[in-house]
Amino acid sequence: MKTRTIERTRLVPHTVDGVTEMVLDRELVEVPLPPRDWDQLVRTAVTIGAIVLVTASLVWTTASIGDLLAAVTLPVVAYAAAVAFDASWIMCMAVEWLLRYDPKRAQVAQRAGWWALAVSMAAVFAHGNIVADEWVIGAVGALVSGLAKGGWTMAMRIHARPLDPRTQQWVEARRAKVDGQLAMIPIRRDLQRGEHLVEAERAALTTDSGSAGSTDPDQSGPSAADPDRTVTPIDRKTLTTKDAVRIAWQDGIRDRTDVIREVTRQLGRPASPDTVDRYLRDHQRTA
């Protein structure tokens, strides 16, 4: 049995002059060497071989199609465009790998990859017929991409972990919930941005309309002719969140939840808690 030497450390008591301390004790021990995992070695070799095939195919296809297109355009442009032929089905395989636990979505990438491969092989075949005037050369050259695609497909199969139908449904249900939560992040951000823009626009219009008759256009308190503000009708079209928070504060409402509820009632629409908190803190600082 093969063994390997490892170092083990442990804390042991050590006494000097009657004082005991815990110190590290190092010890070299021989442990059995685990058997070689040939399955993993073969799996790694297949993966490396597939990568080499894909790389060779990309180089060959780019050179062939680039030479074909160089007859009608600049060589730099021709070879840059030629990269797209093999890169298309390689990208589809990458998407298929990422969606390996979602077979329904992976089918689209799989079909697109085969179509892209067919286009790439046809272009290489055309290059052999036109440049060398030999269909055999074109067919052999086109097979390079086909072999690379097949090699990578086999490599993906050995890395795949098929799920039984019930587990697959469980995964899809969990993924749908998580995807819904992720989708709501930009949606909420967009809605909040829109609400802030609407409030800023309304505040600007209110300020412009009130600046002609008052040095403080932000005041929305009662007029001298009508001291009882509780019976004064509120114009919700021009009422801002800042005004509603100030009215609630003047009414003696201090609890945050009650303020948000009162502001929502005055505005006739849901109020942004962050905006209410910002104006509420201003009143708390000046109180």
Side-chain angles (χ1 to χ4, degrees), residues 128-274:
N129 282 345
I130 294 176
V131 176
D133 197 18
E134 289 287 342
W135 69 268
V136 176
I137 297 178
V140 173
L143 288 177
V144 175
S145 296
L147 292 174
K149 171 72 171 177
W152 188 254
T153 301
M154 293 297 102
M156 291 180 61
R157 287 185 177 274
I158 65 174
H159 288 284
R161 297 292 184 268
L163 303 176
D164 62 89
R166 291 190 175 183
T167 304
Q168 184 66 48
Q169 294 179 32
W170 184 90
V171 171
E172 292 176 357
R174 293 291 298 174
R175 187 180 299 277
K177 293 180 180 179
V178 174
D179 289 345
Q181 294 174 358
L182 292 175
M184 288 304 298
I185 294 176
I187 292 175
R188 291 194 187 98
R189 186 183 298 117
D190 186 61
L191 291 176
Q192 291 179 357
R193 186 183 300 111
E195 290 176 356
H196 293 163
L197 290 175
V198 171
E199 290 181 2
E201 179 70 15
R202 184 179 292 109
L205 294 176
T206 304
T207 301
D208 292 340
S209 62
S211 60
S214 173
T215 58
D216 186 6
D218 189 43
Q219 294 183 358
S220 60
S223 63
D226 188 7
D228 188 5
R229 180 173 44 78
T230 60
V231 298
T232 302
I234 299 176
D235 188 359
R236 293 180 177 177
K237 295 182 179 179
T238 60
L239 185 67
T240 64
T241 303
K242 184 176 183 180
D243 296 332
V245 173
R246 181 169 53 253
I247 293 173
W249 183 269
Q250 292 174 353
D251 286 342
I253 302 176
R254 298 294 184 266
D255 184 72
R256 175 181 179 273
T257 304
D258 294 338
V259 172
I260 295 176
R261 186 184 300 108
E262 177 63 19
V263 171
T264 300
R265 185 188 66 80
Q266 294 184 29
L267 295 177
R269 64 181 184 279
S272 173
D274 294 337

Side-chain angles (χ1 to χ4, degrees), residues 61-84:
T61 303
T62 302
S64 299
I65 302 178
D67 184 52
L68 178 65
L69 298 178
V72 294
T73 186
L74 296 175
V76 176
V77 179
Y79 285 97
V83 175

Side-chain angles (χ1 to χ4, degrees), residues 24-45:
L24 284 177
D25 180 46
R26 292 179 172 84
E27 180 184 10
L28 297 177
V29 296
E30 296 289 331
V31 297
L33 190 66
R36 188 179 297 275
D37 189 353
W38 291 104
D39 290 346
Q40 181 61 32
L41 291 176
V42 173
R43 186 180 294 109
T44 303

